[in-house]
Amino acid sequence: MAEKQKILIVDDDANIAELISLYLTKECYETKMVFDGEEALQIFPIFRPNLILLDLMLPGIDGYQVCRELRATSQVPIIMLSAKGEIFDKVLGLELGADDYMMKPFDSKELVARVKAVLRRFQPPVAPVPAAVHADQQGDFVEYPDLLVNLTNYSVVYRGRSVEMPPKELELLYFLASSPNQVFTREQLLDHIWGYEYIGDTRTVDVHIKRLREKIKDTENWALSTVWGIGYKFEVKR
């Protein structure tokens, strides 16, 4: 029997945490509930979850800080939960490395669907390799001069140096680089990378592109290009 995937639920409202746990337990996930940020950071290396549901408004250490500290050492998928619906709050959460953001109150079926989608994207299916294989590289990767993106072990090497990236940033870079010079709309990228559509919220893609550009700069051989009025492409210069 396959081992159950583990989900850490971090919410200071015990009723909400228990309700989420009930939904996910019915879907055969193993869950653990904690009720503040400090406890979440303490239990994380012990429980070793496959995914974290993280409330923003926590006593003591808030969800933003928990996300920031987790991202310093781990790329575990994080879905933020919040009653705050401002675009700023959502963008800040995504910039800190969250993989998704859900507003309270939420529908139980949608929560389960998003959990499954994030877990599925974090363990992507096999895809063709469009670049020549290095002897020391295995699995799914793309390679260009000064850039190697390995989807199997979630690593990026840029100009000979390892670059740390949250899962969604890396998956977005890999997806674009796997189809050089092909233009994708923001809606297409949302669908391919996140596995479902943020209704009208294409800013999610823009935030991740911005973060990628901060970490890897265009070279004479390739560029992460904006196609104004349409979307983005990984441009290979000939």
Side-chain angles (χ1 to χ4, degrees), residues 51-68:
L51 180 144
I52 299 174
L53 291 171
L54 178 62
D55 186 35
L56 289 182
M57 306 303 290
L58 297 170
I61 303 175
D62 66 18
Y64 291 121
Q65 185 61 30
V66 171
C67 183
R68 186 180 290 111

Side-chain angles (χ1 to χ4, degrees), residues 19 57 70 144 202 223 229:
L19 193 59
M57 306 303 290
L70 288 172
Y144 296 93
T202 56

